[in-house]
């Protein structure tokens, strides 16, 4: 007996496969643009004739750091001023699955994206939108917070509300992978946070 349950064709998006020929040194930076527009992805499959691809990628992309943080740390004024406003930060929480848990990401443009299960979303109390996946209506929600916005200032009510809600609903440590890059050159920068390991 098969455990496969076919999904109704009209209710799910089609799987997409893109094949591209590119170089990590390309001025168009196709791979980087693709990665930056998909904040909840942290793995990709690369097929190459180059035997030392991993070392080449490490030289061009730079290291990712592993660190345990509370979500409130990502919205602290020190983090915003010291990292988000001065460099390009990409981050993804990796201790829960995107389809069953709460996953947070910073997308490289300074936007904190939260993919939350229904219970966390309701407790958090911030405005978001229903996720397109999974198929159950209102099972997951997406909340976007622009960390570079003028409203992310300690003197603003909006910031105080977000901080209070994070401390109430997301008061647990999560493991993140984080990359930090120069805004202009894209060169990898060190992440000087306590507990960060390459």
């Amino acid at each position: 007996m098969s455990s496969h349950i076919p999904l109704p064709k009209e209710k799910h998006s089609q799987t997409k496969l893109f094949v591209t020929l590119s170089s990590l040194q390309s001025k168009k930076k196709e791979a980087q643009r693709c990665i930056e527009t998909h904040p909840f992805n942290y793995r990709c499959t690369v097929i190459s004739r180059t035997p030392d691809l991993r070392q080449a990628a490490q030289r061009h992309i730079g290291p990712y750091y592993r660190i345990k943080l509370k979500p409130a740390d990502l919205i602290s004024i020190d983090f915003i001023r010291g990292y988000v406003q001065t460099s390009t930060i990409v981050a993804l929480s990796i201790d829960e699955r995107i389809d069953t848990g709460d996953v947070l990401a910073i997308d490289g443009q300074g936007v904190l994206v939260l993919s939350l299960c229904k219970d966390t979303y309701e407790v958090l109390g911030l405005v978001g939108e229903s996720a397109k996946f999974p198929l159950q209506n209102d099972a997951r929600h997406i909340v976007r917070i622009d960390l570079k916005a003028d409203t992310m200032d300690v003197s603003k009510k909006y910031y105080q509300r977000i901080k209070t809600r994070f401390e109430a609903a997301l008061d647990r440590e999560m493991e993140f992978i984080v990359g930090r890059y120069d805004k202009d050159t894209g060169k990898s920068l060190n992440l000087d946070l306590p507990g960060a390991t390459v």
Side-chain angles (χ1 to χ4, degrees):
M1 176 179 232
S2 173
S3 63
H4 174 73
I5 300 171
L7 297 172
K9 291 182 181 181
E10 68 279 354
K11 287 196 169 189
H12 67 84
S13 62
Q14 294 179 336
T15 301
K16 296 179 182 173
L17 170 66
F18 294 98
V19 178
T20 183
L21 177 64
S22 183
S23 167
L24 293 175
Q25 297 172 342
S26 169
K27 291 182 182 179
K28 293 182 180 179
K29 299 185 179 185
E30 298 97 345
Q32 184 177 346
R33 269 188 286 139
C34 182
I35 292 167
E36 288 174 353
T37 59
H38 295 82
F40 291 112
N41 295 324
Y42 70 99
R43 291 186 185 166
C44 68
T45 302
V46 177
I47 302 170
S48 174
R49 292 179 283 148
T50 308
D52 59 344
L53 178 65
R54 184 176 183 147
Q55 291 84 11
Q58 188 74 14
R59 276 194 315 273
H60 291 287
I61 298 172
Y64 275 85
Y65 295 85
R66 282 182 172 258
I67 188 166
K68 290 193 178 204
L69 297 168
K70 287 188 176 184
D73 296 336
L74 299 175
I75 61 164
S76 74
I77 294 302
D78 291 338
F79 185 81
I80 292 171
R81 288 183 183 154
Y83 296 103
V84 177
Q85 291 178 348
T86 61
S87 57
T88 298
I89 293 285
V90 290
L92 178 68
S93 64
I94 58 172
D95 45 1
E96 292 191 32
R97 292 176 39 146
I98 187 77
D99 57 343
T100 58
D102 301 321
V103 179
L104 284 68
I106 299 177
D107 71 358
Q109 305 300 318
V111 177
L112 175 61
V113 184
L114 296 81
S115 176
L116 305 170
C117 63
K118 182 178 181 178
D119 294 338
T120 305
Y121 176 72
E122 289 175 351
V123 172
L124 186 63
L126 296 176
V127 176
E129 58 191 33
S130 184
K132 293 181 174 78
F133 182 85
L135 299 177
Q136 300 93 343
N137 288 339
D138 297 327
R140 299 201 58 75
H141 291 82
I142 306 295
V143 176
R144 288 181 172 79
I145 301 169
D146 186 352
L147 299 176
K148 292 183 177 181
D150 293 337
T151 53
M152 292 303 288
D153 184 282
V154 73
S155 66
K156 306 285 183 177
K157 287 182 182 180
Y158 178 76
Y159 174 80
Q160 292 301 327
R161 182 167 189 272
I162 290 173
K163 183 180 176 197
T164 302
R165 299 312 310 147
F166 268 50
E167 290 170 352
L170 296 170
D171 191 34
R172 65 182 184 277
E173 217 170 52
M174 300 172 86
E175 187 171 6
F176 289 86
I177 52 174
V178 182
R180 181 177 180 219
Y181 305 95
D182 185 275
K183 282 182 179 182
D184 301 320
T185 65
K187 182 181 175 191
S188 179
L189 300 172
N190 289 334
L191 184 69
D192 302 319
L193 288 173
T197 59
V198 176

